[in-house]
């Protein structure tokens, strides 16, 4: 178990430092930046802090509500001739809905506060040219494919993979690839939006001058909705002896354990990449691909009756 955990940590480090090594080459240098990202000075106006906490708490409340609503609508059970993996479908739709909500909040924040305070979109590292976007996509695909090759190589040479409890990065068979490609757009929207929100919009002194405190708090809020549901569900079970807080949907607390680690760890990966490249999309694409793979390979494929 300890070895598997070290393997997962090593895989995350490879995602970061593999990216930072390749972005220094002539082939991918356009995806990076000559100047590293620096923490922006937070606006002295208290309105900025109020907006930040309103966005964080609103997003948390919406995420909890949307998860329970999707469970109620049995999105994870909508398996037919196209989608054949229930759990990845649920996670993808859930993340996509939360991303759309966060995009709406961000637009509202910019129009009602940031623009009036003189903050420009160009100051937030959001604009990206077509050439740089293409370089970003190529670099993200290269790093992701190298990570997959690393997983298969360790299995071939040492009969070992990277896993810890719920979370595993291991070789997969060809039948999982179509399912990954179907669900990847959902995860790209979810993790790409998360990367932009955490890095472009909130790499500032709003939570103090410590970069570690900044990313630590943002990563905590990223995992907080799943944590709240899991802790509440299991707390009710431990107190009453009955797993009935969510009615007949007894799997809800268990299913909310699965995304805890990706939601907490992937912001750290995107921040490490962003700090050296000033490219919020690069880390978002890489983490979306890896999380899609890990989610799909650890879920069974169902076929319609």
């Amino acid at each position: 178990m300890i070895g598997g955990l070290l393997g997962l940590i090593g895989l995350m480090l490879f995602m970061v430092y593999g990216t930072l090594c390749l972005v220094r080459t002539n082939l991918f240098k356009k995806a990076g930046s000559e100047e590293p990202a620096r923490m922006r000075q937070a606006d002295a106006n208290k309105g900025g802090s109020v907006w930040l906490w309103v966005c964080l708490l609103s997003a948390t409340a919406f995420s909890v509500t949307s998860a329970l609503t999707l469970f109620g609508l049995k999105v994870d059970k909508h398996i037919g001739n196209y989608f054949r993996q229930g759990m990845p479908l649920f996670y993808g739709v859930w993340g996509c809905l939360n991303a759309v909500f966060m995009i709406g909040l961000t637009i509202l924040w910019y129009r009602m506060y940031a623009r009036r305070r003189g903050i420009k979109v160009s100051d937030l590292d959001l604009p990206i040219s077509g050439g740089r976007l293409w370089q970003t996509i190529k670099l993200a695909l290269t790093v992701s494919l190298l990570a997959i090759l690393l997983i298969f190589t360790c299995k071939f040479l040492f009969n070992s993979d990277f896993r810890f409890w719920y979370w595993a990065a291991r070789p997969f068979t060809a039948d999982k690839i179509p399912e990954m490609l179907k669900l990847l757009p959902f995860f790209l929207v979810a993790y790409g939006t998360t990367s932009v929100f955490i890095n472009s919009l909130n790499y500032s002194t709003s939570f103090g001058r410590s970069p570690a405190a900044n990313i630590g708090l943002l990563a905590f809020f990223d995992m907080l909705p799943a944590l709240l549901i899991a802790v509440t569900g299991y707390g009710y079970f431990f107190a009453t002896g009955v797993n009935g807080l969510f009615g007949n949907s007894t799997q809800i607390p268990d299913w909310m354990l699965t995304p805890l680690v990706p939601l907490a760890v992937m912001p750290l990966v995107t921040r490490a990449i962003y700090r050296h490249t000033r490219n919020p999309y690069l880390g978002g694409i890489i983490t979306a691909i890896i999380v899609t793979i890990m989610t799909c390979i650890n879920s069974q494929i169902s076929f319609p009756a």
Side-chain angles (χ1 to χ4, degrees):
M1 189 68 73
I2 294 175
L5 176 60
L6 291 175
L8 279 176
I9 295 173
L11 184 64
M12 299 302 112
L13 293 174
F14 175 81
M15 290 164 56
V16 172
Y17 291 104
T19 302
L20 298 183
C21 285
L22 289 175
V23 81
R24 295 174 182 173
T25 65
N26 291 330
L27 188 61
F28 299 113
K29 65 179 181 180
K30 289 184 179 180
S33 173
E34 295 181 359
E35 294 291 331
R38 301 185 184 279
M39 291 188 74
R40 293 183 300 277
Q41 185 69 34
D43 195 337
N45 191 313
K46 292 185 178 180
S49 180
V50 171
W51 266 103
L52 175 59
W53 283 104
V54 166
C55 288
L56 289 173
L57 295 176
S58 299
T60 300
F62 178 84
S63 186
V64 171
T65 304
S66 63
L68 297 178
T69 301
L70 291 175
F71 274 120
L73 295 174
K74 300 185 183 300
V75 170
D76 56 301
K77 301 293 191 291
H78 290 178
I79 305 300
N81 293 320
Y82 190 71
F83 293 111
R84 294 179 179 176
Q85 288 187 305
M87 186 172 69
L89 176 62
F90 170 83
Y91 293 139
V93 174
W94 182 44
C96 204
L97 280 177
N98 296 335
V100 171
F101 181 78
M102 183 55 69
I103 291 171
L105 271 180
T106 301
I107 293 174
L108 193 65
W109 161 79
Y110 184 75
R111 290 185 174 180
M112 296 186 66
Y113 176 79
R115 186 165 57 183
R116 297 177 181 179
R117 302 291 300 177
I119 300 175
K120 300 178 182 179
V121 174
S122 57
D123 298 333
L124 303 175
D125 293 331
L126 286 175
I128 185 170
S129 64
R132 193 183 187 203
L133 178 60
W134 176 236
Q135 290 279 349
T136 299
I137 294 173
K138 288 195 299 182
L139 177 54
L141 290 175
T142 301
V143 173
S144 301
L145 289 174
L146 288 174
I148 295 171
L149 180 62
L150 180 64
I151 294 170
F152 275 85
T153 302
C154 288
K155 183 67 175 179
F156 180 78
L157 294 179
F158 309 110
N159 194 29
S160 176
D161 53 27
F162 312 137
R163 65 177 70 210
F164 181 79
W165 199 17
Y166 276 92
W167 305 280
R170 55 189 176 83
F172 50 87
T173 51
D175 58 337
K176 293 293 180 71
I177 297 177
E179 306 308 315
M180 296 174 187
L181 295 176
K182 294 173 189 176
L183 293 166
L184 181 58
F186 294 100
F187 286 89
L188 283 172
V189 173
Y191 281 84
T193 301
T194 300
S195 179
V196 169
F197 179 78
I198 286 176
N199 298 307
S200 288
L201 302 179
N202 287 300
Y203 187 39
S204 68
T205 58
S206 299
F207 306 124
R209 297 184 178 277
S210 170
N214 177 274
I215 188 57
L217 190 59
L218 290 170
F220 172 74
F221 269 96
D222 196 38
M223 67 177 287
L224 183 58
L227 183 65
L228 287 174
I229 296 174
V231 169
T232 304
Y234 277 111
Y236 182 86
F237 171 68
F238 291 141
T240 65
V242 178
N243 185 12
L245 180 63
F246 303 108
N248 293 327
S249 299
T250 56
Q251 84 279 14
I252 291 179
D254 192 43
W255 277 34
M256 286 292 100
L257 288 176
T258 306
L260 282 179
V261 168
L263 291 176
V265 172
M266 292 308 174
L268 308 181
V269 173
T270 62
R271 172 60 60 82
I273 294 174
Y274 172 75
R275 285 182 61 186
H276 292 85
T277 64
R278 295 187 66 181
N279 187 339
Y281 307 102
L282 181 56
I285 296 174
I286 294 172
T287 54
I289 294 173
I290 298 301
V291 172
T292 302
I293 292 171
M294 292 179 63
T295 304
C296 289
I297 63 177
N298 293 300
S299 181
Q300 67 180 5
I301 295 178
S302 301
F303 294 93

